């Protein structure tokens, strides 16, 4: 373990249940290291271990890492004892399993012992810090994180929430890791169910809106591929304007809405369909389900 608070270059990151999000995170770290100077590389781990549930998954993961990250960049293991062995070797453990499996993995006495003094970063939706501390009998420091699927293309949004006793350097390292995948911010845990619904499930909801826009374009004679491209770029452009100009979405909307024009006609049609309340209620309902996922 590094002796300098902000030098994590000799840290080992272990990913338990390395599926789509685990691969995205490891790829993001690797790409950042490959494109950065030596001073920035110190902000991230340099050694990586990943575990999966089956031999078939392990072979697939080895091929993925050999192709995308370079041979030998990640040690892959599976089978009995692999998670415990990972926890013994790693300084930080990223828990990427399904929420209902978290307790099975973490309550293993050998795992609890191996996690002593380590940091567990959980992306398991709905599993609370309190539960994670109980699972690990408070031997480990806990950070909850909620990334989303756009992390795969470095346009992700991640929110983290550390336990009360987590040392600052583990929080810093977690922020460094997820910042390689897009944006990262820290919030109190009480907000994480809403975060799960809004940014975790949000890309799916946004794609429904995008698809509907494209359908409208097709109905008016545009080829499907053209309509999809126009819809996607329009939504991406609007989102980037909000993020980069810091303007309220309503201000950007008003800038497009001229008196008696086509935009106001379309907006009124949207209001007729109660789209605002429907989309807002969508987040509300998704947040309720997110809260129940961990069985808390």
């Amino acid at each position: 373990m590094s002796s300098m608070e902000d030098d994590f270059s000799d840290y080992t990151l272990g990913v338990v249940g390395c599926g789509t999000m685990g691969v995205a995170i490891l790829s993001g770290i690797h790409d950042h290291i490959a494109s950065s100077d030596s001073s920035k590389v110190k902000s991230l781990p340099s050694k990586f271990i990943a575990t999966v549930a089956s031999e078939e998954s392990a072979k697939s993961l080895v091929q993925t890492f050999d192709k995308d990250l370079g041979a030998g960049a990640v040690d892959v293991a599976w089978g009995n004892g692999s998670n415990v062995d990972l926890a013994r070797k790693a300084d930080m453990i990223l828990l990427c399993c399904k929420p209902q499996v978290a307790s099975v993995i973490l309550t293993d006495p050998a795992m609890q012992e191996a996690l002593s003094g380590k940091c567990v970063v959980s992306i398991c939706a709905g599993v609370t810090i309190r539960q994670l501390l109980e699972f690990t009998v408070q031997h480990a420091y806990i950070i909850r994180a909620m990334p989303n699927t756009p992390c795969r293309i470095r346009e992700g949004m991640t929110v983290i929430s550390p336990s009360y006793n987590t040392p600052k350097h583990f929080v810093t390292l977690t922020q460094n890791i997820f910042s390689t995948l897009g944006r990262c911010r820290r919030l109190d845990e009480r907000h994480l169910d809403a975060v799960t619904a809004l940014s975790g499930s949000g890309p799916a909801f946004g794609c429904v809106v995008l698809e509907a826009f494209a359908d409208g374009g097709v109905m008016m004679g545009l080829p499907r591929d053209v309509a999809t491209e126009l819809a996607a770029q329009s939504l991406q452009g609007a989102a980037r304007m909000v993020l980069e100009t810091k303007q309220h979405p309503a201000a950007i909307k008003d800038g497009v809405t001229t008196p008696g024009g086509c935009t106001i006609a379309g907006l009124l049609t949207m209001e007729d369909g109660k789209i605002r309340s429907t989309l807002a209620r969508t987040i509300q309902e998704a947040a309720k389900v997110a809260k129940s996922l961990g069985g808390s």
Side-chain angles (χ1 to χ4, degrees):
M1 187 175 291
S2 174
S3 60
M4 295 178 62
E5 184 174 311
D6 293 326
D7 183 356
F8 305 105
S9 57
D10 62 350
Y11 272 45
T12 298
L13 176 66
V15 182
V16 174
C18 190
T20 300
M21 190 56 67
V23 171
I25 292 167
L26 292 175
S27 298
I29 295 172
H30 179 270
D31 289 351
H32 189 81
I33 291 173
S35 63
S36 299
D37 59 42
S38 58
S39 62
K40 292 182 179 179
V41 167
K42 292 181 179 180
S43 67
L44 294 166
S46 62
K47 291 166 285 198
F48 309 97
I49 313 169
T51 60
V52 289
S54 67
E55 183 177 12
E56 183 179 353
S57 296
K59 290 179 179 179
S60 175
L61 205 57
V62 167
Q63 292 177 349
T64 297
F65 290 146
D66 283 352
K67 177 182 177 182
D68 296 339
L69 303 186
V74 181
D75 289 332
V76 179
W78 72 283
N80 293 334
S82 59
N83 290 331
V84 173
D85 187 53
L86 177 150
R88 288 174 178 149
K89 295 177 180 177
D91 300 290
M92 175 176 278
I93 295 86
L94 189 61
L95 191 64
C96 296
C97 62
K98 294 180 179 179
Q100 59 269 30
V101 180
S103 63
V104 177
I105 293 174
L106 296 179
T107 55
D108 179 342
M111 175 63 89
Q112 292 172 339
E113 181 181 356
L115 290 174
S116 180
K118 306 293 181 70
C119 182
V120 175
V121 180
S122 168
I123 68 169
C124 301
V127 183
T128 66
I129 290 175
R130 177 185 59 79
Q131 289 175 298
L132 293 164
L133 286 171
E134 290 176 355
F135 295 158
T136 60
V137 292
Q138 299 195 31
H139 287 174
Y141 303 111
I142 302 297
I143 298 177
R144 281 188 66 187
M146 179 45 58
N148 62 6
T149 52
C151 286
R152 295 170 62 184
I153 60 166
R154 318 296 183 262
E155 288 290 346
M157 182 71 237
T158 303
V159 174
I160 68 168
S161 181
S163 61
Y164 69 95
N165 62 337
T166 300
K168 180 181 176 182
H169 69 278
F170 280 134
V171 178
T172 298
L173 176 55
T174 304
Q175 290 175 320
N176 292 349
I177 288 171
F178 286 105
S179 292
T180 68
L181 307 174
R183 293 173 177 258
C184 180
R185 69 156 57 219
R186 178 178 174 177
L187 290 176
D188 291 339
E189 187 187 21
R190 62 190 174 90
H191 296 299
L192 285 191
D193 293 327
V195 168
T196 301
L198 184 53
S199 66
S201 299
F205 306 148
C207 281
V208 172
V209 175
L210 193 158
E211 185 182 22
F213 282 2
D215 284 346
V218 171
M219 185 172 183
M220 298 312 297
L222 291 174
R224 169 64 65 179
D225 61 335
V226 173
T228 301
E229 180 183 5
L230 266 59
Q233 185 61 33
S234 296
L235 291 178
Q236 176 179 249
R240 294 215 65 84
M241 285 179 71
V242 171
L243 291 173
E244 295 183 12
T245 68
K246 308 299 182 184
Q247 284 185 286
H248 192 283
I252 294 174
K253 177 205 70 177
D254 288 349
V256 187
T257 309
T258 55
C262 60
T263 303
I264 188 61
L267 287 169
L268 289 176
T269 302
M270 294 176 79
E271 297 294 352
D272 289 343
K274 298 182 179 180
I275 192 168
R276 288 175 184 266
S277 61
T278 297
L279 293 177
R281 294 293 186 189
T282 296
I283 303 304
Q284 182 183 34
E285 289 302 310
K288 289 179 181 178
V289 174
K291 184 176 181 63
S292 70
L293 291 178
S296 57

